[in-house]
């Protein structure tokens, strides 16, 4: 999606901010991410605000707005949404940090585990959300999908760009793909990211074991999820194209088999 700098956005979007937060003294455009046309951290009289905007109606904003009251301390505070003059604008309290570092020597790993421990307890009662498992429905038997269902709020898009860290903690941002599933789902996704960033599967599993929801999970369920990811990616890009990603998932499957045997 083509990005538009804050200075290039229509005046009514600028006004939507200033009427709520006062004068904007500085703006820093955010270029990471793929789902918005503009994003910026704005320094206002009322403090820093993160704003992102899309032309037309943004379905992801519907889900973010609905989920925001249920994310607790895991996500930044939701402020407002404005849909006028052909733009969909959403605002949050700005998190001044850097993207999460998932490499083996990262100082963020302990804080990330604490974040996922807290996030895994979120349930969002009464909120209508898609089932996390259904994204693999084309590659799974009904009984397999049932094995991956759950009642917890799942972020569903763990990657370094959606993890913001400062010296004390990590935040989980951009809940546009939130779903309902098992409490261990986001930790499982994170273990694959750790392997991708240089951890051995054994080290990634040991890190995940510090998250209570992961420790309580059935290793067979996690292995099933990893296998479904392999099936889906192989179907999408072929065995050769899927080899590197599938090797990471297979390494996790092997670790979960070892956990079951142990």
């Amino acid at each position: 999606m083509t990005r538009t700098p804050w200075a290039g956005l229509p005046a009514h979007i600028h006004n939507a901010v200033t009427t709520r937060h006062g004068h904007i003294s500085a703006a820093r455009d955010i270029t990471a991410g793929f789902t918005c046309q503009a994003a910026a951290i704005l320094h206002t009289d009322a403090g820093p605000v993160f704003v992102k905007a899309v032309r037309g109606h943004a379905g992801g904003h519907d889900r973010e707005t609905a989920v925001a009251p249920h994310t607790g301390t895991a996500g930044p505070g939701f402020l407002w949404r404005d849909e006028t003059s052909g733009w969909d604008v959403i605002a949050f309290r700005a998190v001044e940090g850097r993207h999460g570092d998932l490499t083996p020597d990262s100082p963020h790993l302990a804080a990330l585990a604490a974040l996922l421990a807290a996030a895994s307890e979120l349930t969002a009662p009464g909120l209508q959300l898609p089932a996390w498992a259904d994204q693999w429905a084309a590659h799974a038997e009904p009984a397999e999908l049932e094995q991956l269902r759950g009642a917890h709020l799942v972020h569903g898009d763990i990657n370094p760009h959606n993890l913001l860290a400062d010296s004390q903690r990590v935040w989980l941002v951009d809940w546009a793909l939130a779903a309902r599933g098992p409490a261990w789902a986001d930790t499982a996704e994170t273990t694959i990211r750790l392997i991708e960033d240089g951890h051995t599967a054994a080290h990634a599993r040991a890190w995940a074991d510090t998250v209570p929801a992961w420790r309580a999970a059935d290793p067979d369920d996690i292995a099933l999820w990893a296998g479904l990811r392999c099936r889906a990616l192989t179907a999408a890009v072929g065995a050769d194209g899927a080899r590197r990603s599938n090797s990471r998932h297979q390494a996790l499957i092997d670790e979960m088999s070892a956990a079951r045997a142990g």
Side-chain angles (χ1 to χ4, degrees), residues 161-177:
H161 287 123
N162 288 338
L163 297 167
L164 293 179
D166 64 14
S167 61
Q168 296 183 321
R169 59 156 296 175
V170 180
W171 284 265
L172 190 50
V173 302
D174 194 350
W175 292 72
L177 297 180

Side-chain angles (χ1 to χ4, degrees), residues 2-259:
T2 302
R3 300 299 281 253
T4 301
W6 171 255
L9 290 173
H12 79 270
I13 296 180
H14 290 214
N15 292 338
V17 175
T18 57
T19 56
R20 292 173 171 89
H21 304 285
H23 174 69
I24 300 169
S25 58
R28 177 165 62 89
D29 291 309
I30 306 298
T31 58
F34 305 100
T35 60
C36 62
Q37 190 159 349
I41 291 180
L42 310 173
H43 292 271
T44 75
D45 290 342
V49 179
F50 172 73
V51 174
K52 60 181 178 178
V54 178
R55 286 188 184 273
H57 177 80
H61 287 189
D62 291 341
R63 205 176 304 183
E64 283 198 83
T65 303
V67 165
H70 303 278
T71 60
T73 60
F78 173 75
L79 295 174
W80 48 267
R81 184 182 185 184
D82 188 304
E83 292 185 86
T84 57
S85 302
W87 286 80
D88 192 340
V89 185
I90 192 168
F92 294 86
R93 297 190 187 282
V95 174
E96 293 286 3
R98 60 191 182 96
H99 294 305
D101 178 358
L102 304 184
T103 58
D105 295 326
S106 169
H108 299 161
L109 294 178
L112 177 56
L115 167 70
L116 291 171
S120 67
E121 296 181 357
L122 301 173
T123 57
L127 194 63
Q128 296 298 312
L129 290 169
W132 177 73
D134 283 350
Q135 60 189 298
W136 300 291
H139 311 283
E141 298 297 326
E144 292 176 318
L145 294 181
E146 287 304 313
Q147 195 172 330
L148 297 183
R149 298 202 187 281
H152 288 77
L153 178 62
V154 176
H155 179 274
D157 190 19
I158 302 291
N159 67 73
H161 287 123
N162 288 338
L163 297 167
L164 293 179
D166 64 14
S167 61
Q168 296 183 321
R169 59 156 296 175
V170 180
W171 284 265
L172 190 50
V173 302
D174 194 350
W175 292 72
L177 297 180
R180 196 170 297 286
W184 52 263
D186 287 327
T187 304
E189 175 68 32
T190 308
T191 62
I192 297 299
R193 296 292 184 181
L194 294 180
I195 297 169
E196 185 178 299
D197 276 9
H199 296 252
T200 65
H203 188 271
R205 178 188 143 200
W207 171 87
D209 280 341
T210 66
V211 180
W214 171 279
R215 289 201 307 273
D218 186 332
D220 288 345
D221 292 347
I222 298 171
L224 171 62
W225 163 79
L228 289 180
R229 292 275 297 253
C230 291
R231 290 183 214 171
L233 188 58
T234 300
V237 301
D240 286 343
R243 183 171 289 111
R244 290 183 65 184
S245 177
N246 284 0
S247 68
R248 294 189 283 267
H249 288 79
Q250 185 59 53
L252 180 61
I253 292 170
D254 293 343
E255 278 297 316
M256 302 321 293
S257 296

